[in-house]
Short mmCIF file of all heavy atoms in Angstrom, two decimals:
data_model
loop_
_atom_site.label_atom_id
_atom_site.label_comp_id
_atom_site.label_asym_id
_atom_site.label_seq_id
_atom_site.Cartn_x
_atom_site.Cartn_y
_atom_site.Cartn_z
N TRP A 28 -13.03 -38.17 48.50
CA TRP A 28 -13.12 -38.86 47.20
C TRP A 28 -14.32 -39.80 47.20
O TRP A 28 -15.03 -39.90 46.19
CB TRP A 28 -11.82 -39.63 46.95
CG TRP A 28 -11.86 -40.45 45.70
CD1 TRP A 28 -12.11 -41.78 45.59
CD2 TRP A 28 -11.66 -39.97 44.36
NE1 TRP A 28 -12.08 -42.18 44.28
CE2 TRP A 28 -11.79 -41.08 43.50
CE3 TRP A 28 -11.37 -38.72 43.82
CZ2 TRP A 28 -11.65 -40.98 42.12
CZ3 TRP A 28 -11.22 -38.62 42.44
CH2 TRP A 28 -11.36 -39.73 41.60
N ARG A 29 -14.54 -40.49 48.33
CA ARG A 29 -15.68 -41.38 48.42
C ARG A 29 -16.98 -40.61 48.29
O ARG A 29 -17.96 -41.12 47.72
CB ARG A 29 -15.62 -42.12 49.76
CG ARG A 29 -16.77 -43.09 49.99
CD ARG A 29 -16.69 -43.67 51.39
NE ARG A 29 -17.78 -44.56 51.67
CZ ARG A 29 -18.04 -45.09 52.85
NH1 ARG A 29 -17.26 -44.79 53.88
NH2 ARG A 29 -19.06 -45.92 53.03
N GLN A 30 -17.01 -39.37 48.80
CA GLN A 30 -18.21 -38.55 48.75
C GLN A 30 -18.27 -37.71 47.46
O GLN A 30 -19.15 -36.87 47.32
CB GLN A 30 -18.26 -37.63 49.97
CG GLN A 30 -18.36 -38.39 51.28
CD GLN A 30 -18.28 -37.47 52.49
OE1 GLN A 30 -18.01 -36.27 52.35
NE2 GLN A 30 -18.53 -38.04 53.68
N ARG A 31 -17.30 -37.92 46.56
CA ARG A 31 -17.22 -37.22 45.27
C ARG A 31 -17.13 -35.70 45.45
O ARG A 31 -17.69 -34.94 44.66
CB ARG A 31 -18.42 -37.59 44.39
CG ARG A 31 -18.50 -39.08 44.11
CD ARG A 31 -19.60 -39.42 43.13
NE ARG A 31 -19.71 -40.81 42.88
CZ ARG A 31 -18.93 -41.50 42.03
NH1 ARG A 31 -17.99 -40.87 41.36
NH2 ARG A 31 -19.10 -42.80 41.88
N ARG A 32 -16.44 -35.27 46.46
CA ARG A 32 -16.20 -33.83 46.68
C ARG A 32 -14.82 -33.53 46.12
O ARG A 32 -13.81 -33.55 46.81
CB ARG A 32 -16.31 -33.51 48.16
CG ARG A 32 -17.69 -33.84 48.73
CD ARG A 32 -17.75 -33.75 50.23
NE ARG A 32 -17.49 -32.38 50.71
CZ ARG A 32 -17.48 -32.02 51.98
NH1 ARG A 32 -17.71 -32.95 52.92
NH2 ARG A 32 -17.24 -30.77 52.33
N LEU A 33 -14.80 -33.26 44.82
CA LEU A 33 -13.54 -33.18 44.09
C LEU A 33 -12.69 -32.00 44.52
O LEU A 33 -11.46 -32.08 44.56
CB LEU A 33 -13.82 -33.12 42.58
CG LEU A 33 -14.58 -34.33 42.01
CD1 LEU A 33 -14.74 -34.19 40.50
CD2 LEU A 33 -13.85 -35.63 42.35
N VAL A 34 -13.33 -30.86 44.83
CA VAL A 34 -12.55 -29.68 45.22
C VAL A 34 -11.83 -29.96 46.53
O VAL A 34 -10.62 -29.68 46.67
CB VAL A 34 -13.47 -28.45 45.36
CG1 VAL A 34 -12.67 -27.26 45.90
CG2 VAL A 34 -14.09 -28.10 44.01
N MET A 35 -12.56 -30.49 47.50
CA MET A 35 -11.94 -30.83 48.78
C MET A 35 -10.84 -31.87 48.59
O MET A 35 -9.78 -31.80 49.23
CB MET A 35 -13.00 -31.35 49.74
CG MET A 35 -12.44 -31.79 51.10
SD MET A 35 -11.67 -30.43 52.00
CE MET A 35 -13.16 -29.50 52.45
N THR A 36 -11.09 -32.82 47.68
CA THR A 36 -10.07 -33.84 47.42
C THR A 36 -8.80 -33.21 46.88
O THR A 36 -7.68 -33.54 47.31
CB THR A 36 -10.60 -34.87 46.41
OG1 THR A 36 -11.78 -35.49 46.94
CG2 THR A 36 -9.56 -35.93 46.12
N GLY A 37 -8.94 -32.27 45.95
CA GLY A 37 -7.77 -31.62 45.36
C GLY A 37 -6.99 -30.80 46.38
O GLY A 37 -5.75 -30.85 46.43
N ILE A 38 -7.73 -30.02 47.19
CA ILE A 38 -7.06 -29.17 48.19
C ILE A 38 -6.31 -30.04 49.21
O ILE A 38 -5.15 -29.76 49.55
CB ILE A 38 -8.09 -28.27 48.90
CG1 ILE A 38 -8.69 -27.27 47.90
CG2 ILE A 38 -7.45 -27.55 50.07
CD1 ILE A 38 -9.82 -26.45 48.47
N ALA A 39 -6.99 -31.06 49.69
CA ALA A 39 -6.35 -31.94 50.68
C ALA A 39 -5.15 -32.66 50.08
O ALA A 39 -4.13 -32.87 50.76
CB ALA A 39 -7.37 -32.95 51.20
N THR A 40 -5.23 -33.04 48.81
CA THR A 40 -4.09 -33.71 48.15
C THR A 40 -2.89 -32.79 48.07
O THR A 40 -1.75 -33.19 48.37
CB THR A 40 -4.49 -34.19 46.76
OG1 THR A 40 -5.59 -35.11 46.86
CG2 THR A 40 -3.33 -34.88 46.06
N LEU A 41 -3.11 -31.54 47.65
CA LEU A 41 -2.00 -30.58 47.56
C LEU A 41 -1.39 -30.31 48.93
O LEU A 41 -0.16 -30.22 49.08
CB LEU A 41 -2.50 -29.28 46.93
CG LEU A 41 -2.88 -29.35 45.44
CD1 LEU A 41 -3.48 -28.03 44.98
CD2 LEU A 41 -1.64 -29.70 44.61
N ALA A 42 -2.26 -30.18 49.94
CA ALA A 42 -1.75 -29.94 51.28
C ALA A 42 -0.93 -31.14 51.78
O ALA A 42 0.13 -30.98 52.41
CB ALA A 42 -2.90 -29.65 52.24
N ALA A 43 -1.42 -32.35 51.51
CA ALA A 43 -0.68 -33.55 51.93
C ALA A 43 0.67 -33.62 51.23
O ALA A 43 1.69 -33.96 51.85
CB ALA A 43 -1.51 -34.80 51.62
N LEU A 44 0.71 -33.26 49.94
CA LEU A 44 1.99 -33.25 49.21
C LEU A 44 2.94 -32.22 49.79
O LEU A 44 4.15 -32.46 49.92
CB LEU A 44 1.74 -32.97 47.73
CG LEU A 44 1.08 -34.10 46.93
CD1 LEU A 44 0.75 -33.63 45.52
CD2 LEU A 44 2.01 -35.32 46.87
N TYR A 45 2.42 -31.05 50.16
CA TYR A 45 3.27 -30.00 50.74
C TYR A 45 3.92 -30.48 52.03
O TYR A 45 5.14 -30.35 52.23
CB TYR A 45 2.44 -28.74 51.01
CG TYR A 45 3.13 -27.77 51.94
CD1 TYR A 45 4.20 -26.99 51.50
CD2 TYR A 45 2.74 -27.67 53.28
CE1 TYR A 45 4.86 -26.13 52.36
CE2 TYR A 45 3.38 -26.80 54.15
CZ TYR A 45 4.44 -26.04 53.68
OH TYR A 45 5.09 -25.19 54.54
N PHE A 46 3.11 -31.03 52.94
CA PHE A 46 3.67 -31.49 54.22
C PHE A 46 4.62 -32.67 54.02
O PHE A 46 5.62 -32.80 54.73
CB PHE A 46 2.54 -31.87 55.18
CG PHE A 46 1.90 -30.70 55.84
CD1 PHE A 46 0.62 -30.29 55.49
CD2 PHE A 46 2.59 -29.96 56.81
CE1 PHE A 46 0.02 -29.21 56.11
CE2 PHE A 46 2.00 -28.88 57.43
CZ PHE A 46 0.72 -28.48 57.07
N THR A 47 4.33 -33.54 53.03
CA THR A 47 5.22 -34.68 52.77
C THR A 47 6.59 -34.21 52.30
O THR A 47 7.62 -34.68 52.78
CB THR A 47 4.59 -35.61 51.72
OG1 THR A 47 3.32 -36.09 52.20
CG2 THR A 47 5.50 -36.80 51.44
N VAL A 48 6.59 -33.28 51.34
CA VAL A 48 7.86 -32.78 50.80
C VAL A 48 8.64 -32.00 51.85
O VAL A 48 9.88 -32.05 51.90
CB VAL A 48 7.59 -31.90 49.56
CG1 VAL A 48 8.88 -31.23 49.09
CG2 VAL A 48 7.00 -32.75 48.44
N SER A 49 7.94 -31.32 52.75
CA SER A 49 8.62 -30.48 53.73
C SER A 49 9.09 -31.23 54.97
O SER A 49 9.85 -30.69 55.78
CB SER A 49 7.69 -29.34 54.18
OG SER A 49 6.58 -29.84 54.91
N LEU A 50 8.67 -32.49 55.12
CA LEU A 50 9.02 -33.23 56.33
C LEU A 50 10.52 -33.29 56.61
O LEU A 50 10.96 -33.06 57.73
CB LEU A 50 8.44 -34.65 56.28
CG LEU A 50 7.03 -34.85 56.83
CD1 LEU A 50 6.62 -36.31 56.72
CD2 LEU A 50 6.94 -34.39 58.28
N PRO A 51 11.37 -33.64 55.61
CA PRO A 51 12.81 -33.71 55.91
C PRO A 51 13.38 -32.40 56.44
O PRO A 51 14.38 -32.42 57.18
CB PRO A 51 13.44 -34.10 54.56
CG PRO A 51 12.33 -34.74 53.80
CD PRO A 51 11.09 -34.02 54.21
N PHE A 52 12.79 -31.28 56.07
CA PHE A 52 13.32 -29.98 56.49
C PHE A 52 12.75 -29.53 57.85
O PHE A 52 13.15 -28.48 58.36
CB PHE A 52 12.99 -28.93 55.42
CG PHE A 52 13.48 -29.31 54.05
CD1 PHE A 52 12.60 -29.85 53.11
CD2 PHE A 52 14.82 -29.17 53.71
CE1 PHE A 52 13.03 -30.21 51.85
CE2 PHE A 52 15.26 -29.53 52.45
CZ PHE A 52 14.36 -30.06 51.52
N ARG A 53 11.84 -30.30 58.40
CA ARG A 53 11.22 -29.94 59.67
C ARG A 53 11.92 -30.60 60.87
O ARG A 53 11.58 -30.31 62.01
CB ARG A 53 9.74 -30.36 59.68
CG ARG A 53 8.86 -29.55 58.74
CD ARG A 53 7.45 -30.11 58.68
NE ARG A 53 6.57 -29.24 57.92
CZ ARG A 53 5.81 -28.30 58.45
NH1 ARG A 53 5.79 -28.14 59.77
NH2 ARG A 53 5.05 -27.53 57.71
N VAL A 54 12.87 -31.51 60.59
CA VAL A 54 13.54 -32.22 61.68
C VAL A 54 14.40 -31.24 62.47
O VAL A 54 15.24 -30.53 61.91
CB VAL A 54 14.41 -33.36 61.13
CG1 VAL A 54 15.13 -34.06 62.29
CG2 VAL A 54 13.55 -34.35 60.36
N GLU A 55 14.16 -31.19 63.76
CA GLU A 55 14.91 -30.30 64.64
C GLU A 55 15.87 -31.12 65.49
O GLU A 55 15.97 -32.34 65.37
CB GLU A 55 13.94 -29.53 65.54
CG GLU A 55 12.92 -28.70 64.76
CD GLU A 55 11.81 -28.17 65.65
OE1 GLU A 55 11.85 -28.46 66.87
OE2 GLU A 55 10.92 -27.49 65.14
N GLU A 56 16.59 -30.45 66.38
CA GLU A 56 17.53 -31.14 67.24
C GLU A 56 16.78 -32.04 68.23
O GLU A 56 15.62 -31.83 68.54
CB GLU A 56 18.38 -30.13 68.03
CG GLU A 56 19.32 -29.33 67.14
CD GLU A 56 20.25 -28.46 67.96
OE1 GLU A 56 20.17 -28.52 69.20
OE2 GLU A 56 21.04 -27.72 67.35
N GLN A 57 17.53 -33.04 68.73
CA GLN A 57 16.93 -34.02 69.63
C GLN A 57 16.40 -33.36 70.90
O GLN A 57 17.03 -32.48 71.47
CB GLN A 57 17.99 -35.07 70.01
CG GLN A 57 17.47 -36.14 70.95
CD GLN A 57 18.56 -37.13 71.32
OE1 GLN A 57 19.71 -36.92 71.00
NE2 GLN A 57 18.19 -38.18 72.01
N VAL A 58 15.23 -33.81 71.31
CA VAL A 58 14.65 -33.33 72.55
C VAL A 58 15.37 -34.01 73.72
O VAL A 58 15.77 -35.17 73.65
CB VAL A 58 13.14 -33.65 72.59
CG1 VAL A 58 12.53 -33.20 73.90
CG2 VAL A 58 12.44 -32.99 71.41
N ALA A 59 15.58 -33.28 74.81
CA ALA A 59 16.29 -33.83 75.96
C ALA A 59 15.55 -35.02 76.54
O ALA A 59 14.34 -35.16 76.40
CB ALA A 59 16.47 -32.76 77.03
N SER A 60 16.32 -35.92 77.19
CA SER A 60 15.73 -37.10 77.82
C SER A 60 14.76 -36.68 78.92
O SER A 60 14.89 -35.61 79.53
CB SER A 60 16.82 -38.00 78.40
OG SER A 60 17.66 -38.48 77.38
N ALA A 61 13.80 -37.56 79.19
CA ALA A 61 12.77 -37.26 80.18
C ALA A 61 13.39 -37.19 81.58
O ALA A 61 14.42 -37.78 81.86
CB ALA A 61 11.69 -38.34 80.13
N GLU A 62 12.73 -36.45 82.46
CA GLU A 62 13.18 -36.35 83.84
C GLU A 62 13.02 -37.70 84.54
O GLU A 62 12.19 -38.53 84.16
CB GLU A 62 12.36 -35.29 84.58
CG GLU A 62 12.57 -33.87 84.04
CD GLU A 62 13.99 -33.38 84.26
OE1 GLU A 62 14.58 -33.73 85.31
OE2 GLU A 62 14.52 -32.68 83.39
#
C-alpha cells in the first residue's frame, strides 16, 4: 500500500482474510510434552 501497488495489496488482503477466517478450524490436538 505504501508503494501504491494496488493489485498486490488486494491479493495480500484477500489471502490474509482467508487465513484469518480459517484459523479456528486449523486447531489440532495438543502436541505431546517435550522429552
Side-chain angles (χ1 to χ4, degrees):
W28 176 262
R29 179 186 178 187
Q30 297 175 352
R31 301 186 181 279
R32 300 170 63 180
L33 300 183
V34 175
M35 178 62 72
T36 301
I38 294 173
T40 300
L41 291 175
L44 289 174
Y45 164 74
F46 281 108
T47 301
V48 173
S49 67
L50 271 181
F52 305 100
R53 291 174 172 266
V54 179
E55 302 169 359
E56 293 186 3
Q57 180 181 9
V58 178
S60 297
E62 295 295 324

